[in-house]
Amino acid sequence: MLKLILHCSLDSDTLPILNCENSASTLRFMIPITLFLRQGGVFTGGTSLMNRPTETYRSLFREKGVIFQHVGNFLIVKGRLKAGKYLIAGDISSQFTTGLLFVLPLISQSSIIHFTTPLLSTPYVEITQDVLRKCGILIRWIDSKTILIPGSQQYNVGEITLEADWSQAAFWYAANFIGNEIKIEGLNPKSIQGDKTVEQWYNALKGKETIEVNLSNNPDLLPPLAIMAAHRKSITKFTRVNRLRYKESDRLKSIKEMLASFGVSVRIGCDFLEVFGNITPSNNPIVVNSFGDHRIVMAAAVLSSIWKAPVTILGADAVNKSYPKFFQDFSRLGGDVYVL
């Protein structure tokens, strides 16, 4: 969820101060926007956010003469965003690409984004392109690694109806997988959202054999799919998951510890996470550390629906980042929630 608190002085020589809280998407989207609108900004946020990788922008902007400096819990970015050729590693977060695509079309000259490694999370870039098109901004793929962004374009103001979110719906798919009966409505079956593949994996994971799930394009699906894997009676191996170490938490370790709280074994290796399923609901109360990660909170809450004793989730308010009404929906569906 895009979340922003903006304090902006009327003095044009003063950079705006933006508190992005714990939203990496806000940080990575707003850096190019502030460079274009105000020739920079001062960014701050939660500790986990300020430790998230931003080296991609640092390298790109250094070549363009932009100051990019960490001072304590602040990131100072100052300079003018210029047109040109931007070389980006495709196996880093797609949010850097989206941030540039928001702004580069507005500069008078054309630009090129070239991916130096194969692009992962491709659906997120495709969503960006689709939204830009609906706003009158056109970009063009020259080949599988290169995007041409014509300059001197202008956004058309209008109304867009937002689709329902497959990423959040994935947790209710997981709830059904482990034995609940929830009717999930309102999702676009033809959506270009990458996390729509949860439907495909929901069916595939019903099999009894060991299965491998490649998450190169859908990293955010790991928490709900890990719930499904915990309920299976065989091994599920999730691959291409290293990027998940740099989310709100080290999501590989936090998923391992969360599932361990429920008695499920997990093995982490080089770019994979393996879940040894067959969860056995117990009468023993447990405490789960969410590590301040909204998706770990939702995963633990869904698993609690089959546990026979109370499950205490530490830091459960982290859901406010992406799904503030999660526990309202959880209660409406029959779950019991108590705030300590």
Side-chain angles (χ1 to χ4, degrees), residues 262 296-305 313 326-327 330:
F262 288 95
I296 301 302
V297 174
M298 290 185 279
V302 169
L303 267 180
S304 76
S305 68
I313 304 173
F326 173 80
F327 283 110
F330 186 86

Side-chain angles (χ1 to χ4, degrees), residues 154-169:
Q154 185 174 359
Y155 281 90
N156 295 327
V157 179
E159 293 185 2
I160 297 176
T161 301
L162 299 180
E163 289 185 4
D165 189 346
W166 279 94
S167 301
Q168 311 300 32

Side-chain angles (χ1 to χ4, degrees), residues 183-316:
K183 189 175 182 179
I184 305 170
E185 297 181 328
L187 294 165
N188 178 6
K190 297 181 180 180
S191 175
I192 61 172
Q193 294 180 51
D195 287 355
K196 179 182 176 297
T197 57
V198 67
E199 193 173 47
Q200 167 193 332
W201 292 118
Y202 174 87
N203 294 316
L205 289 170
K206 289 180 179 179
K208 297 180 179 180
E209 70 283 356
T210 295
I211 191 169
E212 183 172 308
V213 180
N214 184 327
L215 290 178
S216 58
N217 283 324
N218 317 94
D220 286 341
L221 284 182
L222 181 58
L225 290 180
I227 299 171
M228 301 184 200
H231 196 259
R232 303 181 73 230
K233 298 185 184 302
S234 53
I235 299 171
T236 310
K237 185 175 184 178
F238 299 98
T239 61
R240 306 302 296 274
V241 294
N242 264 350
R243 287 175 299 153
L244 287 161
R245 295 184 184 276
Y246 307 103
K247 295 290 186 176
E248 287 76 0
S249 65
D250 177 339
R251 206 166 274 169
L252 301 187
K253 289 184 178 179
S254 53
I255 286 175
K256 179 178 181 178
E257 293 199 25
M258 182 268 292
L259 289 181
S261 300
F262 288 95
V264 177
S265 296
V266 173
R267 185 168 71 97
I268 299 173
C270 181
D271 207 13
F272 74 83
L273 180 144
E274 211 165 27
V275 179
F276 301 85
N278 202 22
I279 187 172
T280 304
S282 165
N283 291 315
N284 297 322
I286 60 173
V287 177
V288 178
N289 188 346
S290 73
F291 299 93
D293 190 323
H294 55 134
R295 298 192 192 278
I296 301 302
V297 174
M298 290 185 279
V302 169
L303 267 180
S304 76
S305 68
I306 61 170
W307 208 247
K308 297 178 180 179
V311 175
T312 301
I313 304 173
L314 304 179

Side-chain angles (χ1 to χ4, degrees), residues 28-56:
R28 292 164 179 169
F29 295 168
M30 292 305 299
I31 286 175
I33 291 172
T34 56
L35 286 171
F36 178 76
L37 294 177
R38 294 293 301 275
Q39 297 185 41
V42 179
F43 298 87
T44 189
T47 302
S48 66
L49 173 67
M50 300 315 290
N51 289 328
R52 299 281 288 271
T54 52
E55 181 58 33
T56 296

Side-chain angles (χ1 to χ4, degrees), residues 82-86 104 107 109-113 147-151:
K82 301 176 183 177
K85 188 173 184 178
Y86 288 83
L104 289 177
I107 301 175
Q109 298 85 17
S110 297
S111 297
I112 285 177
I113 294 176
I147 303 175
L148 172 65
I149 306 104

